[in-house]
Amino acid sequence: MRNRKPRRITFVLLCLALLPISTLGRQLVLVLSQEDLKEAAADSTNLVDDPSDTGFDDFIDSEAKPDYVLDPGSWSPIFEPATAPQVHLEHEGAYYSSVSKIVKAYSRGDERAMEEAASEIEAAASAGHPHAQSILGFLYGMGIGRERSKAKSFLYHHFAAEGGNMQSKMALAYTYSRQEMHDKAVKLYAELAEVAINSFLISKDSPVIEPVRIHSGAEENKEALRKSRGEEDEDFQILEYQAQKGNAGAMYKIGIFYYFGLRGVRRDHTKALSWFLKAVEKGEARSMELLGEIYARGAGVERNFTKALEWLTLASKQQLYSAYNGLGYLYVKGYGVEKNYTKAKEYFEKAADNGEAGGFYNLGVMYLKGIGVKRDVKIASKYFITAFDAGQPKAFYQLAKMFHTGVGLKKNVPLASSLYKLVAERGPWSSLSRWALESYLRGDVGRAFLLYSRMAELGYEIAQSNAAWILDKYGERSMCLGESGICSDEERHQRSHALWWQASEQGNEHAALLIGDAYYYGRGTERDYDRAAEAYMHAKSQSNAQAMFNLGYMHEHGQGLPFDLHLAKRYYDQALEIDHAAKLPVTLALGSLWIRKNYANGILVNVIDSLPEVYPKVEAWVEDVLMEEGNATILTLFVCLLTVLYLRERQRRHVAVAAAAGEVAFPHQLGEQGVPVIH
């Protein structure tokens, strides 16, 4: 292991960088070469050997802490009251009472109750309560019960962030990043990311629990929703039944669901511990490692490093190589054992030798800080890159710091900010997504929309698209509350448009396509072909076939883009290359181009150009006149009558023609088998 170094000296960072409008929605791909690493390493040679001068943490103390501690002002006492002690609820009673009123008012669409709750929040905010200031910033930002004002929203979030409210820090960081004020955004995201990684595990990689996208394009994402029903899900109930019957594998899986809060199951460390202990009794080795994690972090139990060491040791003997990371962690921190860097390094090397990403990450930390080894940021950066390539979440954080400080890698503040954001979004405030999904599955669309809107303000792309989709899908049933009561159609369109635009900036191609359609057709905004083309360009940069087709159409007709038949054909061809299902519309479009090129002033061109105006009128006439119930019945009978008359007339003419030719065979002339009898 001593001479082994990561072989990969180049890597690809894929993140949604917050770039100028011309490149929004495009994934940033950054490839670092050997020369980049050498130059960055040369820049870091002036650093002294004292590790404390780098500003890097070594091994973060991953103690399990409840959301209300990590995220002051969290709404968890409202949605998960069992997680907060009574003394906390009493201390913040007035604040949580007002927030609860806002949630209930939005759920019912009760504008009077919302105004009362908003007034209470405003009074508390004026008195300097930071969490109330955060809520008031949200109300002003969305225009809920108050006139929409970005300036007031920013001001209240600033005060709240100064008072320690983490969600307001998320909102401010997202605002700064959208304005390309990366120096300010990176500081906030760095602080938030540090809070987030406190919840990461010490041996296994924590599963990435992404917010569920409740829609797929314009339709509800039924498959994803089916898998998110928690304890009510049929698959979960079958698994639980198997576990109760003594199936060790099922016990372990149930424990995993409760420990991480997967597939809509409420996180419950006590239940997870119970199932892991039962699984171990049945010989389930994987549960040993999780028990070591639980006792090391104090998740649902009091921290006990002696028990953690015992369980992790047993797990490692069962060839669960990630357990070596946990053992190394205990030795490097001196938890339950005497601090021993040499032994810690040996355990991390064993994990890395067996392909565990956490092993590479931990070795990177040791070389970065010079813990038990000679400090070498170049080797550290290579280890972090290897861990990053394997998807190790903590590596995102360390690489963000390296880009932020220019230690080991070239300084790149925008990229550092983006990487920090990816980590920060896994913080305790992400629980908003779980509560929103639970509300949606129960049919409480208003509450779901409120929670997704709060997340959207914090910069979560999935929440932005979910909130926008709810507005478009449910309309008045979304319980959208505006500045003075239920949202008007215009308010809903404007709010939906703003949410889709934010989602498109972060790489959502469907959102970019919808924004383009809104500007092209003038839905909820003034018709603007230039901005429509800009939005379609965003979607096209993400290889969206529909956007390519639309850009071809706009070039063909000179709408928002120069009239250019050659470019139009190129876009049509690209659409077909991306999506073969577009063959029919592309074939028709290419036919239109041929006619336009060869018969520029002919009547066919005029007919083609009139289709967009004629089609909506025909569609409206069919819907308003023909599809009306009584008219549809009469029309059906009329069509049947015409069909009968047509067939009768066709038969009469056929008989007449055949008779004239002397080939007719009348019924009385047919034999028993229906064969004509020739006289």
Side-chain angles (χ1 to χ4, degrees), residues 276-589:
F276 288 144
L277 287 171
K278 291 178 181 179
V280 165
E281 291 176 0
K282 294 285 186 179
E284 170 52 60
R286 292 172 296 176
S287 295
M288 297 176 183
E289 184 179 6
L290 269 300
L291 287 171
E293 286 278 357
I294 286 175
Y295 282 111
R297 300 184 66 243
V301 295
E302 186 177 349
R303 295 183 88 175
N304 188 323
F305 297 117
T306 302
K307 285 189 175 182
L309 180 65
E310 292 174 359
W311 285 117
L312 289 170
T313 301
L314 288 172
S316 66
K317 291 179 180 179
Q318 299 294 322
Q319 296 185 331
L320 294 171
Y321 302 117
S322 56
Y324 286 125
N325 289 314
L327 290 171
Y329 173 84
L330 295 178
Y331 276 100
V332 84
K333 299 291 284 188
Y335 287 160
V337 293
E338 186 177 349
K339 188 176 290 187
N340 188 325
Y341 295 147
T342 301
K343 203 161 189 176
K345 182 171 178 286
E346 289 175 358
Y347 280 127
F348 294 148
E349 287 175 340
K350 285 183 179 180
D353 284 340
N354 287 281
E356 282 294 328
F360 292 109
Y361 168 79
N362 291 324
L363 288 170
V365 174
M366 296 192 80
Y367 277 100
L368 181 66
K369 294 288 288 183
I371 301 173
V373 295
K374 183 180 179 181
R375 183 164 179 260
D376 190 324
V377 294
K378 185 176 179 181
I379 292 178
S381 64
K382 289 181 179 180
Y383 277 125
F384 288 141
I385 289 168
T386 304
F388 177 93
D389 283 343
Q392 219 289 338
K394 293 179 186 176
F396 283 64
Y397 177 70
Q398 291 291 5
L399 284 173
K401 276 205 165 187
M402 297 179 85
F403 280 119
H404 186 190
T405 60
V407 174
L409 294 171
K410 276 186 177 180
K411 189 170 184 176
N412 188 329
V413 173
L415 183 54
S417 180
S418 298
L419 287 171
Y420 278 138
K421 181 177 185 288
L422 291 174
V423 179
E425 287 184 342
R426 298 183 64 181
W429 35 87
S430 64
S431 295
L432 288 163
S433 175
R434 185 172 70 252
W435 304 328
L437 181 61
E438 289 175 357
S439 300
Y440 183 81
L441 291 172
R442 289 198 304 267
D444 194 339
V445 178
R447 178 177 294 193
F449 174 69
L450 176 70
L451 292 167
Y452 280 132
S453 296
R454 175 63 166 175
M455 281 193 80
E457 185 186 41
L458 308 188
Y460 287 83
E461 179 274 316
I462 291 181
Q464 291 163 352
S465 63
N466 282 350
W469 184 81
I470 286 175
L471 283 174
D472 292 345
K473 176 74 173 180
Y474 290 92
E476 293 181 359
R477 291 182 294 151
S478 66
M479 300 299 175
C480 172
L481 292 175
E483 297 178 2
S484 56
I486 298 294
C487 289
S488 63
D489 289 343
E490 183 179 359
E491 281 182 309
R492 278 199 308 275
H493 281 305
Q494 289 177 350
R495 195 175 294 185
S496 171
H497 182 83
L499 288 165
W500 281 127
W501 185 256
Q502 291 172 18
S504 73
E505 289 178 351
Q506 300 196 73
N508 186 318
E509 64 179 63
H510 176 69
L513 196 63
L514 289 176
I515 290 295
D517 291 346
Y519 280 122
Y520 187 89
Y521 294 106
R523 296 171 182 165
T525 185
E526 293 185 6
R527 178 174 287 187
D528 188 329
Y529 289 138
D530 292 336
R531 300 197 71 175
E534 182 183 0
Y536 289 144
M537 282 292 185
H538 294 335
K540 176 252 180 186
S541 68
Q542 299 156 50
S543 300
N544 184 283
Q546 181 66 60
M548 293 174 183
F549 184 91
N550 293 352
L551 289 169
Y553 185 88
M554 296 178 78
H555 271 301
E556 181 183 352
H557 294 83
Q559 298 173 330
L561 293 171
F563 176 78
D564 191 323
L565 298 185
H566 294 290
L567 277 178
K569 183 180 185 304
R570 182 182 301 175
Y571 278 122
Y572 287 144
D573 290 339
Q574 288 178 357
L576 185 57
E577 289 176 8
I578 295 296
D579 187 358
H580 294 296
K583 185 173 183 178
L584 177 60
V586 167
T587 301
L588 294 174

